[in-house]
Amino acid sequence: MAETTLAPPEVQAETLLDSNELVLNMGPQHPSTHGVLRVILKLDGETVLGTDCVIGYLHRGVEKIAENRTFQQFAPYVDRMDYVAAVSNGLGYCMAVEKLLDVEVPPRAQAVRVILTELNRIASHLLWLGTHALDIGAITPVFLCFREREEVLKIFENYCGARLTTHAFRIGGLQYETYDTFEKECLDFCDLMEQKLKEYHDLLTGNRIWVRRTKGVGILNAADCKDYGVTGPLIRAAGVEWDLRKAQPYCGYENYDFDIPTAKTGDTFDRYMVRMEEMVQSCRIIRQAVDALPEGPIKGKVGKVIKPPPGEAYVSIEAPKGELGYYIVSDGSLNPYRVRVRPPSFVNLGALDKMCRGSLVADVVAIIGTIDIVLGEVDR
Amino acid sequence: MPDTPNSDDKPRPAPSPRPPAAAGADRPVRRPVPKKPAEMPCEPWEGTLPSALQERFGDRLSRAVLLGGQKLLVADIAAAFEVLSCLKQEHGFDYLVDVTAVHWPDKPEQFEIVWTLYSFSANERVRLKAGLAEGDLAPSVTALYSSANWLEREVYDMFGIEFKDHPDLRRILMPDEWEGFPLRKEYGIVQQDSDWVRENLKIESAQ
Amino acid sequence: MEQLLANPYVPPLILTAVIILVFPLIAGYIVLAERKVLADLQVRLGPMRVGPYGVLQPLADALKLMLKEDVIPSQSDKWIFWLAPVLSTFTALSAFAVLPLSDRFFVADVNIGILFILAMSSIGALGLILGGWSANSKYSLMGSLRAAAQMVSYEVPLGFATVTAIMCAGTLSMQGVIASQLERGVWGAFDNYGLMLIPTVLFIIAGTAETNRAPFDLPEAESELVAGFHTEYSGFRWALFFLAEYAAIVVISSLCVTLFFGGWLRPFPNVAALEMPLNTAFPAALFALIALGCSKGVFRQALVGFRLVMAALTGLFLLVAAAFALPAANELMIGLFWFGFKLAVMVYMFIWYRGTFPRFRYDQLMDVGWKWLIPISMFGLILNGVVQLFARG
């Protein structure tokens, strides 16, 4: 066969390459792409040579809708982006509009906001932990996590009537005063959570298979994190002690004593440990906020008609998934002129290719899980 | 469309005080709302960074202000890449938070590209804006920040602004063959690409 | 009748028919048990709708699977696509032929019984490979590639562990292995001063991999490959794969029980004093307890039909308990009971792993297989051989 006519070198090279590659289409209907993410994988055997994300299956045009709604009317829509951390979305949006209006939020409202957002952070991390473990093949943690998450949702339901898309906050403060047993339920939940976290650690952290599946997988170091704009637990796992709650405190976070958990290598295991520790820190914040819950009004001086002066503001908060920013331009009318959401999931997902190259198919699933994306927020 | 001074890219003297916005004037207001300033507070941004930048870029950097306390730079689109490059390399703004655009159909330079930057070392946030006329190319900063890749694709997808030297300028959220750029102001809220919907979803209307 | 049963071909044929007819039902109930046990591990209830506490769920599932539309992908290799699940099921069920269910219930006691089981389980893996390949889907293909690699790597330690056990027992016949354990008065697992524990543990690990169960369920790995080799299968063909998987679990567990845990022998078979408590009191009490549990359901269920089902189950288990108290019936069933009891413990362990462990990655699976299990199993073989040489003379 040596004497057969050869194709021109460039064609030959291409065919040789092609014969080794398998293009695998993962999603949008796939058990572990967390919704409707579609990843096109280029594989050599089981090794990933490259990825291409196809997103937008859940695009609802949230930013366009914003331009056609008044400032208050748009507030419930933001809950539908990162629907597992709806409270954080609402907080970011309200803070951005408050910035435009230049309104002070009363301390009690701020404290309640902190409590609810931290509860939501725990709920979001629990959902992440359950699904992430499920992706790696541990089918039990997801049920345990949902058991605890249910407790958070019960508090939300008691507070504002909704469990998932809560619309808990209003521009200028809060709509509802807390209910009678609110403080007790929050503290009880913190006790429960600290106890149950041990259970998760027993089930996963000490499990050799879990450690082998996550250590050294999907490494993203600090420089890459900054380059790709990756924030949240991912950058903290890479060793950058950066949390907007500390760096640029809002909502009175400067009054609470908490640590920023970090790790060194920035692999999947580190991100897991960082998120686990973040839940502990959230419990700490909730305890402090509940203990020092001030009395007073729950809404600042905001008129019934919200009409910010012409101008613009960019306000960002530390959402469970990273930096969630709202850039709002007002032209002085009742509707925002432009609302831009800076979604952490979208930007973090941009680093998927970087993290996946050279790993195995099973790692892709683990990496998608560890980025902790919510497609509602990626696609908006 | 009221012409807001902050979105202007030309230097102008101190913003002239204007009456409260006209859009809501026909609406009867029963009780007096607390008087609000018609503009967001805007003061000149003093410091080494703006003066260094202004010294270097001169006229091409038309404004350096604190708008509502947030640092804002306005530059010529031609100088935008250089300004960003200078901010990254010389002033430590190593994290590109966001790239987006705002559409002002009534202005000569229809689009306003907005870059939000952050410096981890200085814990400082800066926003850079540049006007862009319809059909012109915006500079891509993918060479400086990898995060710009998807963010610029989204701007292209939503506004139809093309980025020069972008490695992979495709639509990202909308389908590839979709006609129209949804976040432009002339694009209606219920508008859709009927042909695409009919062909791909096999339904008459997605509304 | 007597004459008919005396014919050497008739009892095995009857038993074969019974196995083929009853095993699908047993597999269905293993699935139910798996769902219930997993549910218990995962703070939920599991199936609760079909019948009281979901006890009729397997029947509903079977009916659903048979009525489902049979989809064959248009680009598939139809003949092989059809053959693959048949092959898997056929080989898995064939292996039952040499299983010593008790001292009197077995289809055949051939002198190469163990080899036959190993051969059948190897051919069964071919069904997975063919099924995944013929579907012409990339996920299936990757699943079958994994199945092939896994089979090759894990049959070696499985084989070494089996060889060690055979060496210890001195025979390849399944009944012979049990007889040898009775003779030596110790379970295979604890023979050779406890050194046989090495192959026992290895056999359980490799057996889990051989049956593609978690944490070695890479060929189907639902979070990576959707459903792996059976992604494109649906309806009854899929049910056949399912049946084959559970048959393989039962076969491997049976082999393990036979080689290492005394098969149908009761624990401490040589201690006569334990005859009454272990062979009569224990099974009778166990089934009486189950009956007691079921009787509670009679009062708790709201629907009359459900109450009747629970009452019937109570009656059935009471009857079984009573049968164990009768010497004649006891003698007939006690071997079957101990075999089934040990099998149930093994199957429970399989389910337990699934509820506890994350999945291995492909390269880690190979790593564990080649770098750990094979050397250790070889070491175990040599060690046991040496010990046996000196201890038994």
Side-chain angles (χ1 to χ4, degrees), chain C residues 71-93:
Chain C
V71 181
I72 298 183
S74 57
Q75 298 295 306
S76 66
D77 195 328
K78 290 188 186 56
W79 163 238
I80 297 177
F81 191 80
W82 173 87
L83 179 72
V86 176
L87 192 68
S88 273
T89 318
F90 170 75
T91 51
L93 285 179

Side-chain angles (χ1 to χ4, degrees), chain B residues 152-187:
Chain B
E152 285 173 2
R153 273 176 73 185
E154 192 183 339
V155 172
Y156 165 70
D157 190 4
M158 293 294 147
F159 292 92
I161 297 169
E162 293 192 22
F163 286 85
K164 196 168 151 246
D165 301 329
H166 189 285
D168 180 29
L169 198 63
R170 286 175 292 148
R171 302 199 83 136
I172 186 161
L173 293 176
M174 304 296 288
D176 285 344
E177 311 84 24
W178 192 271
E179 292 279 324
F181 299 104
L183 279 182
R184 290 191 177 201
K185 287 288 171 185
E186 68 265 14
Y187 199 94

Side-chain angles (χ1 to χ4, degrees), chain B residues 30-53:
Chain B
R30 270 190 220 103
R31 74 195 155 77
V33 232
K35 206 82 175 151
K36 288 204 195 79
E39 310 285 345
M40 283 191 82
C42 179
E43 48 200 77
W45 174 15
E46 317 272 352
T48 47
L49 175 62
S51 49
L53 286 172

Side-chain angles (χ1 to χ4, degrees), chain C residues 90-102:
Chain C
F90 170 75
T91 51
L93 285 179
S94 309
F96 277 78
V98 293
L99 292 187
L101 303 180
S102 86

Side-chain angles (χ1 to χ4, degrees), chain B residues 19-70:
Chain B
D26 51 335
R27 195 178 287 268
V29 181
R30 270 190 220 103
R31 74 195 155 77
V33 232
K35 206 82 175 151
K36 288 204 195 79
E39 310 285 345
M40 283 191 82
C42 179
E43 48 200 77
W45 174 15
E46 317 272 352
T48 47
L49 175 62
S51 49
L53 286 172
Q54 255 157 351
E55 196 175 308
R56 173 154 174 195
F57 294 99
D59 276 355
R60 295 189 295 168
L61 189 77
S62 48
R63 289 176 84 203
V65 293
L66 290 170
L67 182 70
Q70 299 187 334

Side-chain angles (χ1 to χ4, degrees), chain A residues 24-41 52-55 57-58 83 131-132 134-136 345 349 352 361 364-376 378-379, chain C residues 139 222-226:
Chain A
L24 186 69
N25 183 34
M26 210 177 197
Q29 281 89 29
H30 185 281
S32 43
T33 52
H34 292 239
V36 285
L37 172 67
R38 178 176 164 212
V39 186
I40 301 170
L41 298 173
D52 186 18
C53 283
V54 182
I55 56 176
Y57 290 92
L58 208 56
Y83 40 78
T131 50
H132 184 41
L134 194 62
D135 289 343
I136 294 185
S345 295
L349 188 61
L352 180 72
V361 179
V364 174
V365 171
I367 293 168
I368 293 173
T370 189
I371 300 178
D372 191 14
I373 46 165
V374 166
L375 266 294
V378 173
D379 294 345
Chain C
Y139 286 114
E222 86 281 343
S223 65
E224 297 149 29
L225 301 183
V226 188

Side-chain angles (χ1 to χ4, degrees), chain A residues 225-363:
Chain A
C225 279
K226 289 174 184 170
D227 186 29
Y228 280 90
V230 167
T231 45
L234 284 83
I235 196 168
R236 289 193 281 276
V240 181
E241 197 177 326
W242 185 76
D243 187 319
L244 275 171
R245 291 175 292 174
K246 283 266 195 217
Q248 302 187 336
Y250 53 90
C251 254
Y253 271 109
E254 63 275 19
N255 304 328
Y256 306 116
D257 179 29
F258 64 101
D259 302 327
I260 308 175
T262 53
K264 284 202 181 90
T265 48
D267 59 8
T268 303
F269 184 77
D270 282 352
R271 292 190 275 265
Y272 158 76
M273 288 308 276
V274 163
R275 287 198 179 96
M276 294 293 270
E277 185 56 28
E278 267 182 30
M279 289 196 255
V280 177
Q281 297 302 327
S282 288
C283 285
R284 266 178 82 186
I285 298 173
I286 295 168
R287 280 179 204 282
Q288 293 170 38
V290 169
D291 286 344
L293 194 61
E295 292 297 322
I298 52 164
K299 198 154 186 189
K301 288 196 169 54
V302 180
K304 286 226 156 60
V305 178
I306 290 184
K307 210 158 73 167
E312 54 175 46
Y314 175 84
V315 173
S316 60
I317 62 160
E318 184 71 32
K321 290 160 185 74
E323 177 177 350
L324 171 69
Y326 285 88
Y327 172 67
I328 304 185
V329 180
S330 162
D331 62 350
S333 69
L334 289 166
N335 297 354
Y337 187 75
R338 167 100 174 92
V339 174
R340 158 69 184 168
V341 186
R342 190 267 179 200
S345 295
F346 177 85
V347 181
N348 292 357
L349 188 61
L352 180 72
D353 187 60
K354 172 88 184 161
M355 293 157 88
C356 283
R357 270 173 202 258
S359 56
L360 300 171
V361 179
D363 291 335

